[in-house]
Amino acid sequence: MKYTIGVAQRASQSGLRVGVALVSESDELICSAFEGEVCGASWYRTLRRRMEELGTSTAHSVFLTINTLSTDQSFELAELLKDIRIDQIYIGLPAPALTSYLDDDPVTAQGRVHRFPDDLQREILEQNRELYAASEQNIECNPHYSTHRISETISTRLQSRGFALSRSDVNSNRGRAALASLICQRYGIEYKAADLVVNDALSEAFDAKYGTYDYAVDARAANLRWTDDFKSVYGKSSPRSLSAVNILNVGVGAGYEAAALFSDCPQITFVDIAERGLANIDKRIPSSRTVIASAEDLSVLPENNFDLYVSLRTYNSSFFDTSAAASEAHRVLKPGGVIIVSVANGFLYTQRGCVVPGLIIPGTDFVDIYRGMDTANLIGTELDRFGFKNIRMFPTSTEIYLSAVTS
């Protein structure tokens, strides 16, 4: 992967810098190419000609920094896969011009596509900074998301407590345990004390961003049927009425979604790490129970107690431990209980009133159109690992739902 970024660096700075490499099963380089290497030819044409010269039509892996679109809006990788049998595909980023899901995209159509890690994705963005900054996938089109960055708020909160961690430090150590360990190493304090400091900083950061969250900046403002989407997913997962089951809603935020979905549910418990959102819930649904806790540690709640566990747009949150959260979800649900989680899959382009699909690459202002599906697949893997069955995925225009049941 790093090699292809180096190959891309040789491309002209005036255009898109793209690098590609084909690798054999023994992990040896077959050939490589970069955009503009041959005048007037794309990386695909250059690579294809080299394969013909070598007299081979197979490779074990292809590493491509950017999944480019040709002038006729078709994917050059798709053309390559028609000509050459390749077992494993590794993609860095979508093309900056890609603003919607297209049917012939091999990343979404094929099951064997892997992604470059976040640090290398950021390098590719840096190589092509101006082109991506000018694209419609840049979240500067949504002032709320460009100015309210969790990593920046956490860094500020930690600095106010005497722990000078930069935003880069925070982004490189995403997660409560990683941040606490970094503070221990730098400042020589006990892990328990560092963990408490990080927990407080996380709570304040999420409270600042979501405690007074307004749907005016939410992608669901462009999808008036989002409550119907949720109820449809639940209906496919359980025959019981929402009002008849014991519900746990984890990561409730400001409470807007809870009020829209669960106002008529008499048996419901709301959990959040931030106090301000829970205070909103007390006002909106006075009969509910509220608990201050993180999804990763629900030890204040008994096991085998709930019929339905709901966590919307929390499992893709910054600094979230999906594995610990999935384990806790399985513990608190009754046998045969249902879990429904969702991954946000778009940001509201406020000036145009449309949705920019995808999720933000941490530490950047770019929304990766593939990242929502990547995240949903990873969550599904964790649910399976902790014993959930009948895992299903339901993509919608603004988010991706996953449902499963305990055995």
Side-chain angles (χ1 to χ4, degrees):
M1 298 181 197
K2 192 78 173 175
Y3 172 81
T4 56
I5 295 175
V7 170
Q9 193 64 30
R10 286 144 52 189
S12 170
Q13 293 186 21
S14 61
L16 200 61
R17 286 182 154 183
V18 184
V20 60
L22 292 177
V23 176
S24 70
E25 194 166 0
S26 57
D27 206 27
E28 294 180 347
L29 178 67
I30 298 173
C31 61
S32 63
F34 59 86
E35 188 73 13
E37 182 176 359
V38 176
C39 184
S42 67
W43 66 263
Y44 161 65
R45 293 296 176 192
T46 304
L47 189 75
R48 189 73 188 89
R49 193 191 73 241
R50 285 185 179 150
M51 291 293 286
E52 290 172 355
E53 292 171 351
L54 291 169
T56 182
S57 60
T58 64
H60 181 263
S61 306
V62 59
F63 296 86
L64 178 63
T65 60
I66 298 174
N67 188 28
T68 53
L69 287 163
S70 64
T71 53
D72 65 356
Q73 293 297 289
S74 63
F75 291 94
E76 289 164 311
L77 176 60
E79 294 301 314
L80 181 68
L81 295 176
K82 291 177 185 177
D83 301 331
I84 300 174
R85 185 180 66 79
I86 299 173
D87 297 324
Q88 298 288 335
I89 303 166
Y90 295 84
I91 297 293
L93 294 180
L98 186 63
T99 58
S100 62
Y101 299 104
L102 302 180
D103 292 339
D104 65 334
D105 190 340
V107 174
T108 56
Q110 302 198 36
R112 64 183 191 278
V113 178
H114 308 279
R115 300 297 307 282
F116 284 33
D118 290 353
D119 59 334
L120 297 187
Q121 290 184 17
R122 287 191 284 267
E123 284 191 35
I124 298 168
L125 281 174
E126 184 61 26
Q127 278 187 337
N128 298 277
R129 183 192 309 169
E130 291 184 6
L131 291 170
Y132 279 102
S135 76
E136 291 185 10
Q137 298 298 110
N138 191 310
I139 59 162
E140 287 187 358
C141 63
N142 186 325
H144 178 82
Y145 284 97
S146 60
T147 57
H148 292 74
R149 307 305 295 272
I150 292 291
S151 57
E152 188 172 329
T153 307
I154 291 172
S155 173
T156 300
R157 295 297 194 274
L158 291 174
Q159 288 180 23
S160 71
R161 291 168 169 79
F163 303 103
L165 268 60
S166 67
R167 181 174 163 184
S168 176
D169 290 331
V170 172
N171 277 320
S172 299
N173 295 272
R174 303 178 73 81
R176 180 170 165 175
L179 277 175
S181 296
L182 180 62
I183 289 174
C184 288
Q185 293 168 13
R186 288 196 180 177
Y187 294 93
I189 67 173
E190 294 290 332
Y191 180 85
K192 186 175 181 180
D195 181 63
L196 183 60
V197 168
V198 171
N199 179 70
D200 289 345
L202 285 169
S203 177
E204 291 173 12
F206 281 101
D207 212 5
K209 184 169 183 177
Y210 297 112
T212 57
Y213 190 71
D214 191 326
Y215 268 24
V217 296
D218 193 295
R220 284 172 290 197
N223 176 19
L224 300 179
R225 292 180 54 83
W226 74 267
T227 55
D228 294 331
D229 290 339
F230 173 84
K231 291 172 183 177
S232 175
V233 171
Y234 176 70
K236 293 172 182 175
S237 308
S238 173
R240 302 175 66 186
S241 166
L242 280 173
S243 61
V245 297
N246 190 5
I247 304 169
L248 178 65
N249 186 185
V250 177
V252 69
Y256 286 99
E257 67 189 23
L261 295 172
F262 306 124
S263 291
D264 297 327
C265 299
Q267 303 177 77
I268 188 157
T269 300
F270 295 107
V271 173
D272 203 280
I273 194 173
E275 295 184 32
R276 203 183 317 181
L278 292 177
N280 290 333
I281 282 293
D282 282 335
K283 296 174 184 176
R284 292 190 172 101
I285 310 177
S287 61
S288 64
R289 178 191 179 195
T290 58
V291 176
I292 299 174
S294 69
E296 300 95 328
D297 182 6
L298 300 175
S299 55
V300 295
L301 300 175
E303 62 182 34
N304 302 329
N305 189 61
F306 297 95
D307 302 299
L308 172 63
Y309 173 109
V310 177
S311 191
L312 305 181
R313 301 184 164 205
T314 302
Y315 276 52
N316 60 264
S317 295
S318 301
F319 312 98
F320 191 83
D321 186 338
T322 304
S323 181
S327 175
E328 282 291 83
H330 194 277
R331 183 185 67 81
V332 300
L333 278 169
K334 297 176 183 177
V338 174
I339 182 173
I340 297 177
V341 300
S342 78
V343 173
N345 196 39
F347 296 85
L348 186 65
Y349 194 143
T350 49
Q351 291 92 332
R352 296 186 182 180
C354 64
V355 174
V356 177
L359 287 174
I360 298 169
I361 298 173
T364 77
D365 292 319
F366 183 71
V367 179
D368 182 343
I369 196 170
Y370 301 139
R371 199 175 183 89
M373 195 62 71
D374 290 344
T375 304
N377 285 325
L378 290 172
I379 293 170
T381 299
E382 290 297 323
L383 294 178
D384 178 71
R385 187 160 77 92
F386 286 100
F388 285 97
K389 307 298 181 186
N390 302 328
I391 301 168
R392 293 188 288 174
M393 191 179 297
F394 304 92
T396 73
S397 62
T398 52
E399 57 201 299
I400 302 166
Y401 291 95
L402 291 100
S403 73
V405 296
T406 55
S407 53

